[in-house]
Amino acid sequence: METVKDPEPADGGQSDLGKDISQAGDADRREAPPTAGMTGADDLPVEAAHVWDDEGAGGYDATRTFVELMEFHLYGHRGPQALPPTPAAGPMPALLYLHRDLLRVRYGYPACLVAGDPDAAARSLSSIIDEVVAEIGGEGDEGARVEGHVHRLESTIRALADDSDGVTLGELWQRASGELLESIVSPEEKERVQQSLSAARGVLHRDGDVIACGTRTPERLIEAVREFHWRGACDGWREELASLTQHLQDILQADFDRSPEGRNPDHLRASVGEGAGDDVDANVLSGILSASELGNTLPEKRRNRLQEILATILDVKPLFDEAPAKGTKLPFDLSPISNDSAVAVGTYHERMQIMVRFFRAIRIARLETENHYREALHDPFFSRFDATHLAEDELALCPPVILVLDGDFFSAAGIRTLLDILTEGLPIKILAKVEDVCGDIEEPSVMPGWPTHLANMTMAMSHVYVMQSPVSQVSLLHDSFLEGLRYSGPALFSVYTGTPDHHPGLPVYLNSAAALESRVFPAFTFDPGRGDTLRERIDIGDNPQLDRDWPVEAFTYRTNEGDEITAELPMTAADLLLCDTRLGRHFWHVPAPKWHPDMVPLGEYLRLDPEVSGGKVPYLTTVDGKGRLGRAIITRAVLMSVLRCMSSWRHLQESGGIHNSFAENALFQEKQRLEEDKQREVDAIEEKYRVELDRDIEELTREIVQRIAAQLLVEGGDISKVTFAAPPPPPAVEAPAPAAPAESQEKKTEAEEEEEEESLSFDDPYIDTPLCTTCNDCTDLNGQMFAYNDNKQAYIKDPLAGSYRDLVVAAEKCPVNIIHPGKPKNADESDLDDLLKRAARYL
């Protein structure tokens, strides 16, 4: 197999199928499928030799082979010599091959439905074992030994759980302990293990039915969560209900005691009890009570009202009992309804009629016990009391109707009533078991089928609590069931369970985990109660490697020459479809002699440009039962299913805030706007300096022309005698000297004129001072030679304060080229020839 590596996952980790969840515990909602490493270093899959690399391979026709492969990919046509579709026990996807032995890893199943647990309805076996190990304690070798024995027991329990439906954890613990001890030969070792298991059993405080990961797991789990939720919802209500009921009974009992029937000797004799009749004469007592005035009895209308509401309350009260006695009659059946949405609607309305009467009675009872009931005011209100008058806390005390749907429902015509439930907002909780991801098995390009889209379609209604998850995610199921039951409106729980009939040899857990990994059935929750924005309502965080199209995992194999190679393989929708025996005709497990260089792994194929991919044949990496690496090419119909799943996943990513095109577009536009604003600022600055530079050049030109004109006048119009020199530095201010004789003054003037003529020659250094941009380059180089005037523009302060090299270097560094070095003053300075060549361009 070619070594094709996808980029590393953004989180630097593997897919869920490559993670060990032993450290996560059940407190972490994120369920991770089995850990990698099912095959040891000496048990790596082995790849066959590439035929086209073997120069001695006779009869290999690359062109004919490619045509045969492409015909199958495009049209599903196998050549006459092609192998038939692979049977059920054929090669499996390479990534699933890594995790085929679930007994060697720890994950969320089996789970224990812990009765009476105040924190959860179910706990994973792994978390319970971790609690036991922590409570036993122990340090050093002894602690490690005990922990190892308990984990061996956990593996044995896990192996027994799949065939132990309805068995409690305590019973499984006992059976697993016996099997483990029987498997140990050494008496000393058996004694040590016995001690460890006894210590562990002594601190096992949780028990309940154990459920494995199977097709019936969602129903059992939602029932357990419903009971857990109901216990919590009724905890604060039971005491008030009991007190209210007792108060009503006391009022009616007191009224009866004041009635003639209550004063009857027979009634009095029965009320005092047996044995007391010898000391109390019931006839005498009856006469005394009849002659006394103990108050009037209740008005008949009020008495009838109190009796009616008490009877109504007592009929419903067992519903809220913490532990109803066996045989207690409930006001209605709480069992889930299967595959009949019309019955679910009818059951909901019947229950609500009972609960409306119950809460009507409760409200009247509160008024009566406080003596606040006024018939003229309250009779009209309670005569029209219906479900719309129930408060939120009262609605929360109405047991939910649970509707369970499976494949039989989705193939029938009951979808219309289901849509009515969802659109009308009836608070019915719907568990939709998706058993098959394929719509029409004759054409897998329509996969996934519409039942897999039910959750996405329902989410668009915006007022329904929605959860979608494979059954492998036990913690997500538990938490979402609880949130959905607490939600006041309708809830839809879409759970993929798969069917063993279509995936023989593939455990339900591995099948459902693969559906999550391959993006065929991604997990998400949508809770309208969490807020008003999509960011608050939707959560897709239970999917692996959220920012990628497909999760990737490292896969190590051995070449035919014995070299180990590790490749990054993506888990795609095609990997899951390969396990479906009904779709065998859409996959061709190509034998090694027919492999071709233009066969490319599907993950790489999906990243190719359409112009390039048209000349390639995509394949999946497989491993057969003997550990031999293989290649299964796919039909175009399967490829279309893969692309549909990828598109659907990208849509869910955007909804969950990953690679949101609106946000990315807004970010791009904002970045573009900032760049445009910055460019406008740069253009404005450049324009400002251009205008200023043009103005300065114009002023300098005017000044130079004026100088030329002035010198022409001085030299009598002889332009050949005109020289260009920078303005001399400002003279130092000195005290006036004493007046000199006229003759001396005349000689001084002549000397100054000669000096001025010398200064106007090209041999002296000078600066075009008005063009100076105040860059500091020359003054930083030699602050004694160069200085600034009052306008912060440079001039040569003292040409002898430095070397000729300083003048040349300053001229070279000047950004506007206004420094003119002139000729060197020191003929002995080193490197003058080189310096004069460099200075020539600035003279």
Side-chain angles (χ1 to χ4, degrees), residues 243 307 638 812:
S243 175
Q307 290 173 343
V638 172
E812 290 174 338

Side-chain angles (χ1 to χ4, degrees), residues 436-515:
D436 189 2
V437 297
C438 294
D440 183 354
I441 63 172
E442 296 300 322
E443 185 53 58
S445 62
V446 301
M447 192 284 297
W450 78 262
T452 63
H453 294 295
L454 180 60
N456 272 301
M457 293 187 292
T458 304
M459 183 168 57
M461 297 182 180
S462 77
H463 66 275
V464 182
Y465 179 95
V466 182
M467 180 275 291
Q468 175 173 293
S469 170
V471 69
S472 59
Q473 306 297 92
V474 61
S475 291
L476 176 60
L477 294 181
H478 177 282
D479 294 349
S480 299
F481 286 162
L482 189 57
E483 291 172 358
L485 290 171
R486 289 171 177 166
Y487 180 62
S488 59
L492 173 70
F493 311 110
S494 181
V495 181
Y496 174 71
T497 61
T499 54
D501 295 340
H502 300 157
H503 304 87
L506 194 64
V508 172
Y509 177 82
L510 198 55
N511 180 18
S512 59

